[in-house]
Amino acid sequence: MVCHPGVDGEAVLHELDRAGIQVSTGSACSSGEPGPSHVLTAMGLPPEDAHASVRFSLGEDNTDDDVTTIGGAVPPVVERLRALAGPATRQSA
């Protein structure tokens, strides 16, 4: 799981999906359930940070190029979403 404070995890999910990258906003055992990940909140993450988190699942079929693609796609998505959210969100992130 990766937390992007100040950004809604669902928005990150949809933007990455448009780029062909599939992620989830919940734990693997509760995919499809609404609300913050119960695993993250049980670990002490505040609900707003749990809502700002996405899960990347990688396996043996993923390549170094896949990881490079993900690494290049995530920062501009998060920056764009933070810019849309406004200055107060950028200051808290």
Side-chain angles (χ1 to χ4, degrees), residues 3 36-51 53:
C3 178
S37 166
H38 71 279
V39 173
L40 295 179
T41 55
M43 291 171 49
L45 204 64
E48 61 273 10
D49 286 345
H51 274 291
S53 299

Side-chain angles (χ1 to χ4, degrees), residues 2-93:
V2 178
C3 178
H4 304 286
V7 178
D8 181 68
E10 285 289 326
V12 174
L13 177 147
H14 291 292
E15 289 296 311
L16 291 178
D17 185 59
R18 289 175 31 169
I21 299 169
Q22 297 178 345
V23 298
S24 175
T25 56
S27 63
C29 59
S30 65
S31 61
E33 292 182 20
S37 166
H38 71 279
V39 173
L40 295 179
T41 55
M43 291 171 49
L45 204 64
E48 61 273 10
D49 286 345
H51 274 291
S53 299
V54 293
R55 176 174 50 89
F56 295 85
S57 297
L58 300 171
E60 61 184 38
D61 291 334
N62 291 107
T63 65
D64 290 346
D65 287 342
D66 293 333
V67 175
T68 300
T69 298
I70 293 166
V74 173
V77 164
V78 172
E79 288 174 23
R80 184 170 54 252
L81 292 171
R82 283 185 179 147
L84 290 172
T89 302
R90 288 193 298 275
Q91 291 174 357
S92 67

